Amino acid sequence: MKEKFSKLINVYKKYGFLGFMKKLYAYIVANYFNKISFAVFFNPNKYRKIIREILTENDFERIVLWRSSFGYNVPLFQRPQHIANNLVKNGCLVLYEVTTMTDKVKTVKPFSDNLYLINYNNILLNRLLMDELKKINCPKYIQLYSTDWKLSVENIENYIKEGFGFIYEYIDDISPELAGTKNIPQNIIDKYEFAMSHKEVYVVVTADLLKEDVIAHRGEENLIYSSNGVDYSFFQSFDENYEFEPEFEEIVNKGKPIVCYYGALAKWFDYELIKKIAATDEYSVVLFGIKYDESYDENMNGEDNIYFLGPRDYKVLKNYSKRCDILTIPFKINNITRATSPVKVFEYMALNKPIVTTDMNECRKYESILIGDSHDDFILKLKKALTLKNDSDYIALLDKEAKENDWSMKAKAITDHISQFEK
């Protein structure tokens, strides 16, 4: 309860009173009212038949229940959706958990071949699903993020008793900043400790520091390395007729090289660094994304040459990035960023744009990334990046490293490992 109260306070700070009330109403509806579905209650046979058809009329090798309330149709199209899409391509039937706050799926909805959006919060529907799953003789898994604070260890153990394998995606440093709470939610801590003490749990890590942590706790058994990646083909086409807002066109027309970042604006973002970049008066700094916490408003005061344009949908963000000159990740170096595999860096590669980041561990692995090990060096790397924007060898390197990190390979690393133990 303390964690929920802390989260509510952060939502209030982030969205203001009206935004808070809208979010609170949506949360109450999604997590309480939508637990009871009159449609399922009055016609259970209809939904039992739907579930049975999903489980018997599709061709697959295993079933994966994705159980983290990230949502599917959200502006931040991230690892959960990409991994789910590519698990399907690797022989999985994926039943992906929605949040009715974003997905508006009260029961079950087909999304693509072997990928279904499921409202696990619907008590009766979930009960029907579990009844039908007991009749299916194939490998079954429960998969979730290390940042999930909804399911308890008891929930996980109940799945295991029903014959499910447990795939624990250890994707970030366990921290209250990422959870959006004052303290780390107990469910997050409990599941982490369970995964670290049970070698039969398949632990997927996205970064070397996370891998080292797992090895220190339980060795390399059932440890899978699968960093973040990119949907390479998606970034090879653009909407040539896309209409940009006058605000963005005005920035382009200033004629200064555009240094762009997209993603969350949070406490780990280096605001002092972008102020220094802007102060050179050589660049227009464009920021797309969401204010993850109050840090942006606390640090920024209408500085010249810095333009915060808010979030853009994943499907159109690439059109903006294409018109920028340098793509960046200006993060502070701390426990969170040292253990981060940034999704955006692989997308930057596929966009064939020069990349400059701070000295994050996972970014050191790639030749195409220019790393600034101090504020002054970061600004020097921006100058170098401008000289590379039309360099054919450098662009070829970006393209090569993007292809090597396609999401299809990240999902395959998971299925290749678990398939070894399937009967």
Side-chain angles (χ1 to χ4, degrees):
M1 184 58 70
K2 288 182 180 179
E3 293 90 352
K4 289 185 178 180
F5 187 69
S6 174
K7 184 77 171 181
L8 287 173
I9 291 173
N10 284 341
V11 170
Y12 182 84
K13 290 179 180 178
K14 186 174 176 181
Y15 295 102
F17 178 74
L18 289 178
F20 169 79
M21 293 305 295
K22 289 179 181 178
K23 293 281 184 182
L24 180 60
Y25 171 77
Y27 177 82
I28 291 171
V29 170
N31 289 278
Y32 296 97
F33 294 156
N34 285 342
K35 282 190 174 183
I36 302 171
S37 170
F38 290 109
V40 180
F41 180 80
F42 287 112
N43 200 351
N45 290 334
K46 171 186 174 182
Y47 289 93
R48 185 181 294 277
K49 181 181 178 185
I50 290 172
I51 292 170
R52 190 171 293 165
E53 288 175 351
I54 291 171
L55 298 178
T56 59
E57 295 184 6
N58 289 290
D59 184 24
F60 54 84
E61 298 172 28
R62 64 191 66 83
I63 299 171
V64 176
L65 309 190
W66 170 261
R67 290 299 320 268
S68 286
S69 299
F70 188 86
Y72 194 91
N73 295 304
V74 293
L76 289 176
F77 204 84
Q78 293 277 309
R79 180 182 178 92
Q81 298 98 319
H82 286 298
I83 288 291
N85 290 341
N86 284 278
L87 285 176
V88 165
K89 298 173 185 176
N90 284 273
C92 301
L93 171 67
V94 178
L95 306 180
Y96 188 101
E97 179 165 14
V98 300
T99 165
T100 50
M101 293 175 68
T102 58
D103 295 294
K104 303 189 187 305
V105 177
K106 292 187 177 182
T107 54
V108 55
K109 179 181 179 181
F111 185 83
S112 62
D113 290 345
N114 278 2
L115 175 59
Y116 292 81
L117 306 184
I118 300 278
N119 181 8
Y120 288 95
N121 209 36
N122 186 317
I123 296 173
L124 295 176
L125 183 73
N126 195 22
R127 192 174 296 164
L128 290 174
L129 173 63
M130 293 305 295
D131 286 344
E132 293 303 316
L133 282 169
K134 291 176 183 178
K135 304 171 186 177
I136 303 300
N137 185 25
C138 78
K140 307 181 206 48
Y141 301 90
I142 168 78
Q143 183 170 358
L144 54 74
Y145 259 18
S146 53
T147 53
D148 171 72
W149 63 332
K150 185 176 179 181
L151 292 186
S152 66
V153 166
E154 182 181 0
N155 295 142
I156 301 303
E157 289 176 330
N158 286 337
Y159 275 111
I160 292 173
K161 288 176 184 176
E162 295 293 340
F164 284 75
F166 179 26
I167 303 173
Y168 178 82
E169 289 219 29
Y170 188 13
I171 58 152
D172 276 312
D173 179 58
I174 304 293
S175 71
E177 287 87 356
L178 286 167
T181 56
K182 185 177 180 180
N183 299 304
I184 302 172
Q186 192 60 43
N187 271 344
I188 291 180
I189 296 172
D190 291 344
K191 289 196 290 291
Y192 166 80
E193 292 178 347
F194 182 87
M196 293 306 112
S197 59
H198 290 73
K199 292 185 178 181
E200 68 273 18
V201 175
Y202 301 104
V203 178
V204 179
V205 294
T206 56
D208 284 346
L209 282 182
L210 303 178
K211 179 179 178 181
E212 291 170 13
D213 182 48
V214 176
I215 292 173
H217 279 89
R218 42 170 276 179
E220 297 189 47
E221 188 174 345
N222 284 329
L223 175 60
I224 306 163
Y225 180 81
S226 171
S227 72
N228 285 323
V230 61
D231 182 351
Y232 177 82
S233 61
F234 175 77
F235 287 92
Q236 302 313 299
S237 62
F238 302 89
D239 183 356
E240 300 299 336
N241 298 315
Y242 185 78
E243 293 188 14
F244 296 92
E245 302 88 338
E247 184 180 8
F248 183 72
E249 292 287 5
E250 287 176 14
I251 298 168
V252 174
N253 292 336
K254 290 179 184 295
K256 294 179 181 178
I258 297 177
V259 173
C260 176
Y261 165 85
Y262 63 74
L265 293 162
K267 293 177 182 177
W268 53 85
F269 190 86
D270 196 335
Y271 295 102
E272 293 307 310
L273 173 55
I274 64 164
K275 287 179 184 178
K276 289 182 180 180
I277 296 168
T280 66
D281 201 31
E282 296 179 23
Y283 307 96
S284 291
V285 180
V286 174
L287 308 174
F288 293 105
I290 60 169
K291 296 178 182 178
Y292 190 77
D293 51 36
E294 67 279 5
S295 61
Y296 181 88
D297 293 326
E298 290 177 351
N299 286 278
M300 305 304 294
N301 297 291
E303 283 80 4
D304 291 339
N305 299 322
I306 298 177
Y307 308 91
F308 172 61
L309 300 183
R312 294 294 184 278
D313 191 275
Y314 172 79
K315 294 175 183 176
V316 303
L317 190 55
K318 61 183 179 179
N319 297 317
Y320 293 89
S321 302
K322 183 185 179 185
R323 297 189 68 183
C324 297
D325 298 283
I326 305 169
L327 302 178
T328 65
I329 305 181
F331 286 173
K332 296 177 181 177
I333 303 303
N334 56 30
N335 288 341
I336 292 175
T337 58
R338 276 192 286 266
T340 294
S341 172
V343 173
K344 62 183 65 63
V345 79
F346 304 109
E347 295 174 351
Y348 290 175
M349 291 173 184
L351 286 161
N352 289 173
K353 293 288 184 178
I355 305 168
V356 182
T357 76
T358 46
D359 193 11
M360 290 182 285
N361 294 32
E362 292 300 305
C363 291
R364 295 175 193 159
K365 299 177 178 180
Y366 306 103
E367 291 182 62
S368 63
I369 300 176
L370 305 180
I371 292 178
D373 57 18
S374 67
H375 286 184
D376 289 342
D377 189 44
F378 194 100
I379 292 171
L380 286 175
K381 292 299 194 300
L382 292 178
K383 292 181 180 294
K384 182 176 181 181
L386 283 179
T387 69
L388 294 172
K389 60 181 291 189
N390 296 313
D391 185 299
S392 59
D393 290 339
Y394 177 69
I395 292 171
L397 176 61
L398 287 165
D399 205 58
K400 171 180 174 290
E401 293 191 326
K403 289 177 180 176
E404 290 172 348
N405 286 280
D406 190 84
W407 282 116
S408 59
M409 302 174 191
K410 310 304 179 178
K412 190 173 185 297
I414 299 171
T415 54
D416 279 355
H417 183 90
I418 62 177
S419 64
Q420 299 175 64
F421 308 97
E422 294 173 353
K423 296 180 182 177

